Amino acid sequence: MTVTKVYSFESNTQVSQALGEFIAHASSEAIAKHGRFTVAFSGGSLPATACKHLRDMQSVDFSKWYVFFADERCVGLNSADSNFRLVREELLDPLMQQGRSVPADQVMVINDTLTDSTQQVADDYLVKMQTVFSGAKTKFPEFDLVLLGIGPDGHTCSLFPNHPLLEERTKWVAPIDDSPKEPPHRITLTLPVVNHARRVAFVASGAGKTSTVRAIVDERNVHLPATHVAPVSGDTYWFLDHAAAKGLSVNKPSEFKL
């Protein structure tokens, strides 16, 4: 039986600390079970929140990590719009300085020489995913953890309200050229891939997310893309600050423990 757990913390610092502990635990469990940890990051404020404490946790074996991106903007890897750049700055570079790097060939970035065609970027990224998940027993890869944020409109990854990609049922990764949020050209994991993850963790903070979190977690508003994240056999976790969790009355936060 899959579960949804909601955690609420007084400050973003406490969110970051708990999330780091959660990721470290998921990493240790996955490596013990099958020798590696596969994780997908989204962008925005999530990398900073997820990595602030995680990068200094000495118990984490980052050499066994395979890092993917839940969505990526079709821009250069050094662009301010690049999700990879965010993760590099918040996690990969600090780890390198500590001598604890994630091996470069285990960080799955887009080919930024192909960004004139989102389809080519998506096709290339699919090949990268297939090299890691080549022995998948199911139709879709099973990430150990997918880390997601939400927008005020309920979007997650680069899956936006009323967009045809919400109906995608076969692709692992898809191009999008009409993102309502800049930049318009992106690639994104599809809902079936997200929903085959062993764990999905949403992270949100601030009063600006209160109504959106309530609409997704309590009201299950089907018009919001994040509502459709429902792992087939994995579990869903919400890491919120008190402001974002304030509107919850049905799925109330529980005490955080691993």
Side-chain angles (χ1 to χ4, degrees):
M1 179 179 178
T2 64
V3 299
T4 297
K5 293 186 178 179
V6 180
Y7 304 122
S8 177
F9 305 89
E10 185 173 350
S11 67
N12 198 54
T13 295
Q14 292 177 340
V15 172
S16 180
Q17 179 68 47
L19 182 60
E21 293 173 6
F22 173 83
I23 296 169
H25 175 75
S27 170
S28 177
E29 191 176 80
I31 292 169
K33 187 174 182 179
H34 45 257
R36 68 182 188 182
F37 179 57
T38 54
V39 58
F41 285 86
S42 56
S45 62
L46 184 139
T49 302
C51 302
K52 181 178 180 180
H53 296 279
L54 174 69
R55 61 195 177 212
D56 294 320
M57 293 181 176
Q58 299 301 312
S59 64
V60 181
D61 184 357
F62 289 103
S63 71
K64 301 292 199 302
W65 279 40
Y66 287 78
V67 176
F68 292 82
F69 296 88
D71 65 327
E72 183 57 285
R73 290 84 179 275
C74 290
V75 296
L77 295 178
N78 288 317
S79 168
D81 288 324
S82 167
N83 288 342
F84 161 72
R85 178 177 168 174
L86 290 174
V87 173
R88 186 191 71 201
E89 292 175 348
E90 298 293 341
L91 181 66
L92 302 176
D93 284 353
L95 288 177
M96 185 178 297
Q97 292 167 8
Q98 297 176 30
R100 306 168 61 219
S101 299
V102 177
D105 63 353
Q106 292 170 204
V107 181
M108 304 301 165
V109 300
I110 64 166
N111 183 340
D112 63 353
T113 69
L114 302 175
T115 53
D116 286 342
S117 167
T118 54
Q119 185 63 63
Q120 288 186 38
V121 174
D123 291 344
D124 177 78
Y125 208 73
L126 173 62
V127 172
K128 290 182 168 83
M129 293 177 69
Q130 289 173 330
T131 63
V132 175
F133 293 104
S134 58
K137 298 179 182 179
T138 62
K139 186 177 179 181
F140 298 100
E142 294 181 358
F143 281 94
D144 293 307
L145 176 61
V146 176
L147 294 165
L148 299 176
I150 56 167
D153 60 353
H155 86 264
T156 194
C157 300
S158 280
L159 300 169
F160 294 92
N162 303 312
H163 197 280
L165 281 182
L166 294 173
E167 305 303 321
E168 178 57 54
R169 295 293 180 265
T170 58
K171 293 179 180 177
W172 289 15
V173 57
I176 174 171
D177 287 302
D178 56 353
S179 165
K181 183 179 179 182
E182 292 290 331
H185 306 292
R186 306 164 175 233
I187 64 168
T188 183
L189 297 184
T190 60
L191 278 172
V193 169
V194 173
N195 284 333
H196 275 77
R198 295 181 175 93
R199 291 180 173 94
V200 176
F202 283 100
V203 184
S205 62
K209 299 292 177 66
T210 305
S211 62
T212 306
V213 168
R214 181 177 63 247
I216 297 165
V217 178
D218 271 2
E219 300 169 3
R220 308 302 299 164
N221 185 328
V222 297
H223 300 294
L224 304 184
T227 300
H228 297 278
V229 173
V232 175
S233 57
D235 299 321
T236 306
Y237 301 82
W238 286 82
F239 287 81
L240 309 169
D241 68 359
H242 289 342
K246 186 178 180 180
L248 296 178
S249 59
V250 178
N251 291 288
K252 294 182 178 180
S254 58
E255 178 186 0
F256 174 69
K257 54 185 177 180
L258 295 173

